């Protein structure tokens, strides 16, 4: 949690390779969590939930667990980008991303309000985290392109000065 932005700040201070490693470790961690937690949870959900709260409840929760698992994985992706932008001091990117997610969340809830079922809330969470992760990924890619352009321009001007 709190340690990741500190490490990313170090990356912003000129240690780009270190930041790339932090990102790689973050994505690997998400993949490990998905493989060790969410895949078994969804594969063995009827047995696990049946053992925990009963067979009748297990049958009723099948789609919810899959939907919330998907939403959780997108949430994990958001935290990687969130920490990057927090370390970079780009709070407006975070605000814009969460506002976009809120619009999607409320839209899904409004559309499904007549239903008043758990699937609506699960769908709203999926929409929220997918929207936030897409917006943050867009800004992240733009930030990296700008940083690479500035770096290549600086290297090019250094090359001209030495001639």
């Amino acid at each position: 949690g709190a340690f990741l932005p500190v490490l990313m700040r170090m990356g912003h201070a000129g240690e780009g390779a270190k930041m790339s490693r932090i990102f790689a470790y973050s994505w690997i961690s998400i993949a490990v969590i998905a493989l060790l937690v969410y895949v078994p949870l969804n594969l063995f959900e009827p047995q696990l939930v049946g053992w925990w709260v009963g067979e009748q409840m297990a049958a009723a929760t099948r789609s919810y667990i899959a939907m919330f698992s998907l939403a959780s994985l997108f949430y994990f992706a958001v935290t990687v980008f969130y920490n990057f932008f927090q370390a970079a001091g780009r709070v407006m990117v975070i605000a814009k991303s969460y506002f976009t997610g809120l619009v999607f969340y409320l839209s899904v809830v409004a559309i499904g309000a007549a239903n008043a079922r758990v699937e609506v809330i699960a769908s709203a969470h999926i929409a929220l985290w997918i929207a936030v992760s897409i917006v943050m990924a867009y800004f992240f890619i733009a930030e990296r392109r700008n940083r690479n352009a500035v770096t290549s321009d600086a290297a090019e001007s250094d090359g001209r000065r030495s001639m």
Side-chain angles (χ1 to χ4, degrees):
F3 190 57
L4 188 58
V6 172
L7 292 175
M8 287 189 175
R9 276 195 190 99
M10 292 167 54
H12 280 282
E15 300 178 25
K18 186 176 281 190
M19 192 165 59
S20 294
R21 275 196 316 254
I22 293 168
F23 270 99
Y25 293 150
S26 297
W27 296 118
I28 290 168
S29 298
I30 291 170
V32 168
I33 290 169
L35 289 173
L36 295 179
V37 176
Y38 290 112
V39 170
L41 177 64
N42 283 281
L43 287 176
F44 302 110
E45 181 267 332
Q47 296 86 358
L48 292 171
V49 176
W51 171 73
W52 185 33
V53 292
E55 297 298 323
Q56 186 176 8
M57 182 65 102
T61 62
R62 180 91 178 130
S63 64
Y64 309 135
I65 290 177
M67 293 172 83
F68 280 115
S69 294
L70 180 64
S72 294
L73 291 175
F74 276 100
Y75 169 76
F76 291 150
V78 166
T79 61
V80 174
F81 294 124
Y82 173 88
N83 286 319
F84 170 81
F85 289 119
Q86 183 184 27
R90 302 281 312 273
V91 294
M92 286 308 293
V93 170
I94 295 169
K96 290 174 187 176
S97 301
Y98 276 97
F99 180 75
T100 303
L102 178 64
V103 168
F104 276 85
Y105 183 89
L106 293 175
S107 298
V108 171
V109 169
I111 292 167
N115 240 350
R117 297 183 53 142
V118 175
E119 287 99 346
V120 173
I121 299 302
S123 298
H125 275 84
I126 291 170
L128 166 75
W129 295 121
I130 287 175
V132 173
S133 65
I134 288 171
V135 173
M136 284 191 173
Y138 169 80
F139 282 113
F140 175 76
I141 291 167
E143 174 103 3
R144 299 306 288 172
R145 279 191 188 142
N146 289 341
R147 180 173 277 200
N148 289 340
V150 168
T151 304
S152 65
D153 288 346
E156 190 176 296
S157 68
D158 285 345
R160 280 190 232 146
R161 281 189 213 148
S162 64
M163 290 183 174

